[in-house]
Amino acid sequence: MHQRILGAALVLAVMCLPAGASDQWAPVKEISLELRPGSPLDFSSILPNAPIDDDHRLVAGKEGRLAYAKAPDTPVRMLCASLAWSPASGGFPDHEGADRYARQLAMHGYNIARLHFVDASLMFGRNRDFDFDPETLDRIQYLLAALKRNGIHWIIDGLSSPRGAYGGFDDRWDTGGDVKLMLHLDDRTFEHWRRLQQAILGRVNPYTGEAPIHDEALALVILANENGLEFEAVVHDRPGRAPYDERLAQPFNLWLKRRYGTTANLTKAWGALDAGEELETGEIRLPLDRYNDSPRLRDLQAFFVETERASTARMSKVLRDLGYKGLISNYNNWPTIQTALSRRDLPAVTMNTYYDWVGGYAPGSELLQTSSIADGVNYIRMIAASRWLGKPFVVSEYDHLFWNRYRYEAGLAMPAYAALQGWDALCRHGHGPIALAYGEPFPHKRAMLPYAIALDPVARAGETLAALLYRRGDVATSDVTIPFSVRGEEDLTDDMQAREPESLTDLALVGRIGLGRAERLGDAIAVAQPRRDGSDNVLALLRASGTVMPDNGTTVDAGIYQSSTGEILLDRFAGQLRVATPATEAMAFASLREPVDLGVLRVERADGNGLVALSGLDPPATLSDSRRFLLIFATDAQNTDMTFRDSEEKVIESFGRLPVVIRRGYVDLSLSRTAARWRISPVGLDGTVHPSVADGVGAVAFRLSNDAPSGPTTYFLLELE
């Protein structure tokens, strides 16, 4: 920036550098978080939701992309609101609250919602099986109708809680209970699950006039959340306990008997057996260590695949017999080779993924406090490699968790790469994606917590950006597809935890990747089995064929990856992710050592790490033509009086209390455009446009501070005349 322009920008600055640690954070002033209609954050006009009718049922359209029934050749992107309420987070709202909430979701740009732990909410405090709380049932039914009236489709879990609808339990949101395991093994548990589908999905909703299972709004049923056999074993693993439940032993022995017939044949396949093990008497033991690779573990994986596929077929038949015509998925986490084979025949694939996962809220809970860009957003890449090409792909849960100070990265990385991959729905997981106000009288609403994105200004800024990058379609889908060849069971190894190698999943930063049946790939450039080549070798073939352009800037050794579209650039070692499209330019950065020119937007300088984005708001919303722009600037946010056990803020001592405080920061920006007059106005977290804090004529250059006179914020309106 020229010295004269920078000097003018400094005069317009709202704040100076923080004086010290005590001045680093500014408290949020908003109480109401309901967006004002017509505000720059109200996306209901630029992202209108179509009425949900038979024409607007969601189906698997061309090339397996989600589409409306009336236009199966036109893919639609679904931005998902994760509704995982519990009594601790307020539960399902009353009718008036549901109307307000559903309308707000539509204003924020959501067009699908995932209802999670419905079974737990219905059975909270109930002592008899299937004795649903009548008020909660009524609220759920009304909410479904309110969502539908606002053009918001539904994703519903057939089972979320490991307690199912059994009465007399007070740990329905915890890992106690064995319904998910026994659903694979026990007919009585399966009948319990069947009855649960009839009681929830098959019950007529008085507010819509039909059962959810017949409703056009129900787009996808996840048969049971995170119910893979290996994952269930890991969840229940405890010191001193065998890694696998003994109830698996008999069916595993029967499976081995069918496969090998005799102990002698099994010994040829495995090598020497342990003392006392005989196949004829059903005495073959389960593995004693899931991390000690062995032929025993390889066959246990094959057994899991066969069992899980049979369970999916059986559960799917229940829904089809009830008249369900929509999409079905299962096994929505754990991106291993084994689970990929279990997902092979599903109509749709769903996956959960997290960066810097946190297991609880208790003092002493710990995270890594690292950047996802530094590892090449591996949490995104590993689920990209779990997708089966030609099927709808839904991210049913993701988050870069609070209190990680780099979580602003998720608001750029996930929607940008989801769009590049051509994924079909994107759900950032939380109690709920929005809140109507700060200060609700519930335990999980008294402070920001992990999985509570509604109260987090940083996560909320990311969801706002996702509505533009992903749902609006600002980031294009790659026309380069790189299949990962899959043969079948022969791809299993002795390693129970084996997954696609990171040295190959980085191809997801360049083009679309996913699994494909080996016999259908023909002459396509693909990642072959067995996995020997690195991504450099595959990229060389793509460049030689002209599939990836010669000027593509990807240099694996330098940690630089450019998408085939040219719109996304990830620089691992600089800690930067850049997105430059006709409608949005954005950058997430751990550091900014020199100015970065994104095209229209130039990022000159910043006083710390963060996210900055510029998006056009006026049709056709291009940065070169718009006169109104939404500026997003996100740094970090914490709770008042939040404390840690260590100086690096990895280990939580106390989450503190409201109000939320935002880390003060600034960024120096300039645009390649000029204007007769321009001005910048802070936009509150509720969408209120406050008096301008900077204006000028001609060249557009300014210092953007997030500590405005109206209070700290992550949003600004830039207007050019």
Side-chain angles (χ1 to χ4, degrees):
M1 183 185 292
H2 297 301
Q3 189 65 38
R4 177 181 59 81
I5 297 174
L6 181 56
L10 291 172
V11 172
L12 297 170
V14 177
M15 60 165 282
C16 297
L17 282 168
S22 62
D23 299 321
Q24 187 178 9
W25 305 90
V28 167
K29 294 184 178 181
E30 286 89 358
I31 299 299
S32 172
L33 293 173
E34 291 190 66
L35 294 184
R36 296 175 180 260
S39 76
L41 302 182
D42 176 6
F43 292 166
S44 57
S45 61
I46 62 175
L47 294 171
N49 288 347
I52 297 178
D53 52 25
D54 197 54
D55 283 345
H56 291 91
R57 285 184 299 108
L58 286 171
V59 299
K62 185 179 180 181
E63 298 180 355
R65 299 286 304 280
L66 273 188
Y68 292 129
K70 71 171 185 176
D73 292 344
T74 305
V76 296
R77 294 179 180 175
M78 309 302 291
L79 184 64
C80 174
S82 179
L83 307 182
W85 287 313
S86 70
S89 57
F92 286 85
D94 60 19
H95 291 196
E96 186 267 341
D99 285 331
R100 291 165 56 200
Y101 196 92
R103 179 60 188 149
Q104 285 287 309
L105 287 178
M107 293 170 69
H108 279 280
Y110 295 102
N111 54 353
I112 198 167
R114 180 192 180 205
L115 279 75
H116 187 45
F117 276 106
V118 168
D119 44 8
S121 294
L122 288 169
M123 290 299 299
F124 178 68
R126 315 303 284 184
N127 292 319
R128 293 184 292 112
D129 296 357
F130 292 98
D131 180 27
F132 295 160
D133 180 85
E135 181 178 357
T136 300
L137 177 60
D138 179 79
R139 289 184 174 203
I140 291 170
Q141 291 172 326
Y142 190 87
L143 176 67
L144 289 174
L147 292 170
K148 183 178 180 180
R149 285 194 300 272
N150 283 275
I152 298 173
H153 290 78
W154 316 325
I155 300 170
I156 300 179
D157 294 352
L159 174 81
S160 302
S161 172
R163 293 299 186 187
Y166 291 111
F169 296 101
D170 59 4
D171 61 347
R172 298 186 179 278
W173 284 267
D174 297 330
T175 57
D178 60 1
V179 173
K180 293 181 182 181
L181 169 65
M182 298 309 292
L183 187 53
H184 296 283
L185 307 176
D186 176 60
D187 286 343
R188 289 176 300 177
T189 305
F190 183 84
E191 287 305 313
H192 181 91
W193 180 88
R194 181 202 302 271
R195 184 179 171 188
L196 186 61
Q197 309 319 300
Q198 294 169 331
I200 296 177
L201 298 179
R203 183 191 301 258
V204 173
N205 182 341
Y207 301 107
T208 62
E210 59 185 336
I213 206 160
H214 302 304
D215 201 306
E216 303 96 334
L218 182 58
L220 171 67
V221 175
I222 299 172
L223 296 172
N225 181 62
E226 297 186 343
N227 68 316
L229 287 164
E230 174 66 9
F231 182 72
E232 265 295 286
V234 170
V235 165
H236 290 93
D237 208 358
R238 300 291 184 275
R241 180 188 296 179
Y244 296 102
D245 194 298
E246 267 305 307
R247 288 172 289 186
L248 288 165
Q250 183 183 17
F252 183 45
N253 271 267
L254 292 173
W255 183 87
L256 291 171
K257 178 69 172 158
R258 290 195 301 271
R259 170 157 294 204
Y260 293 105
T262 66
T263 301
N265 289 338
L266 181 61
T267 302
K268 289 179 183 177
W270 286 11
L273 301 178
D274 294 339
E277 287 193 300
E278 290 187 5
L279 188 56
E280 290 79 3
T281 59
E283 296 295 330
I284 304 300
R285 301 184 186 97
L286 295 164
L288 296 177
D289 184 348
R290 65 166 45 87
Y291 303 109
N292 185 12
D293 299 352
S294 67
R296 190 183 302 252
L297 275 175
R298 183 193 60 227
D299 270 352
L300 185 65
Q301 291 175 74
F303 164 68
F304 283 174
V305 169
E306 187 173 311
T307 302
E308 289 172 353
R309 292 176 68 186
S311 295
T312 292
R314 193 180 185 194
M315 289 188 282
S316 298
K317 186 176 185 303
V318 168
L319 296 189
R320 298 306 185 200
D321 288 348
L322 287 172
Y324 179 58
K325 298 178 181 178
L327 294 169
I328 290 173
S329 190
N330 214 3
Y331 315 122
N332 57 325
N333 72 328
W334 219 239
T336 60
I337 305 302
Q338 179 260 302
T339 51
L341 293 175
S342 295
R343 287 186 284 265
R344 181 168 52 183
D345 295 327
L346 286 168
V349 175
T350 49
M351 282 298 292
N352 301 343
T353 187
Y354 290 94
Y355 186 78
D356 215 356
W357 181 80
V358 181
Y361 302 146
S365 297
E366 184 174 2
L367 48 63
L368 298 175
Q369 203 61 272
T370 54
S371 162
S372 68
I373 295 174
D375 74 357
V377 292
N378 184 49
Y379 78 115
I380 298 175
R381 293 189 281 127
M382 70 180 183
I383 63 167
S386 70
R387 172 196 194 174
W388 279 93
L389 295 170
K391 300 175 186 288
F393 185 81
V394 172
V395 182
S396 44
E397 296 178 22
Y398 84 91
D399 199 11
H400 183 150
L401 287 158
F402 175 76
W403 60 101
N404 182 297
R405 67 174 64 96
Y406 301 97
R407 66 189 181 282
Y408 57 79
E409 295 171 348
L412 183 60
M414 182 58 85
Y417 284 114
L420 181 76
Q421 293 297 316
W423 293 344
D424 297 280
L426 195 57
C427 305
R428 188 165 185 165
H429 186 64
H431 307 152
I434 64 170
L436 301 181
Y438 279 119
E440 293 178 283
F442 308 109
H444 289 172
K445 296 289 186 69
R446 293 171 184 161
M448 283 193 297
L449 298 170
Y451 313 102
I453 61 177
L455 302 183
D456 182 1
V458 175
R460 279 292 338 134
E463 284 289 86
T464 301
L465 186 56
L468 301 171
L469 291 178
Y470 177 73
R471 185 184 165 192
R472 189 170 72 171
D474 290 7
V475 173
T477 297
S478 176
D479 59 3
V480 174
T481 301
I482 309 160
F484 280 48
S485 176
V486 177
R487 297 168 299 188
E489 185 184 311
E490 61 191 295
D491 296 333
L492 295 173
T493 71
D494 292 355
D495 179 3
M496 175 64 86
Q497 315 304 318
R499 60 184 64 182
E500 297 293 351
E502 292 181 33
S503 60
L504 284 166
T505 61
D506 59 356
L507 292 166
L509 307 179
V510 179
R512 299 169 70 237
I513 71 169
L515 306 175
R517 296 174 186 261
E519 66 273 15
R520 300 179 183 175
L521 296 182
D523 296 330
I525 296 174
V527 176
Q529 279 286 9
R531 308 285 194 242
R532 292 196 180 100
D533 292 337
S535 57
D536 258 345
N537 304 87
V538 180
L539 284 167
L541 292 174
L542 293 169
R543 284 191 169 106
S545 69
T547 306
V548 171
M549 293 297 100
D551 61 351
N552 182 277
T554 301
T555 308
V556 174
D557 289 344
I560 295 173
Y561 296 88
Q562 184 178 30
S563 66
S564 66
T565 61
E567 293 182 338
I568 309 173
L569 183 75
L570 184 146
D571 187 332
R572 289 182 60 179
F573 302 135
Q576 294 181 0
L577 178 64
R578 308 174 190 177
V579 171
T581 78
T584 291
E585 293 177 358
M587 181 179 178
F589 50 92
S591 63
L592 191 63
R593 299 184 181 92
E594 58 186 16
V596 173
D597 194 339
L598 296 171
V600 173
L601 179 67
R602 180 177 168 90
V603 185
E604 306 279 357
R605 183 175 176 235
D607 70 337
N609 59 319
L611 164 71
V612 63
L614 179 72
S615 299
L617 294 178
D618 299 324
T622 60
L623 297 180
S624 58
D625 296 320
S626 284
R627 292 290 175 180
R628 296 171 69 251
F629 306 85
L630 179 65
L631 259 171
I632 294 174
F633 178 39
T635 55
D636 193 7
Q638 294 186 358
N639 298 304
T640 298
D641 296 334
M642 191 169 174
T643 57
F644 303 90
R645 292 184 177 178
D646 63 316
S647 60
E648 295 180 320
E649 299 186 347
K650 295 180 179 180
V651 184
I652 194 74
E653 178 61 34
S654 170
F655 282 105
R657 58 181 174 81
L658 296 179
V660 169
V661 292
I662 293 177
R663 179 173 63 78
R664 291 184 170 100
Y666 72 80
V667 60
D668 293 334
L669 304 173
S670 62
L671 272 63
S672 62
R673 295 181 59 182
T674 60
R677 180 167 292 278
W678 56 266
R679 63 178 173 273
I680 294 182
S681 305
V683 178
L685 303 183
D686 62 354
T688 299
V689 179
H690 295 286
S692 64
V693 293
D695 58 60
V697 296
V700 183
F702 51 90
R703 171 165 289 182
L704 185 71
S705 163
N706 63 2
D707 190 14
S710 51
T713 186
T714 54
Y715 305 114
F716 299 84
L717 178 65
L718 170 61
E719 298 172 282
L720 307 184
E721 296 178 5

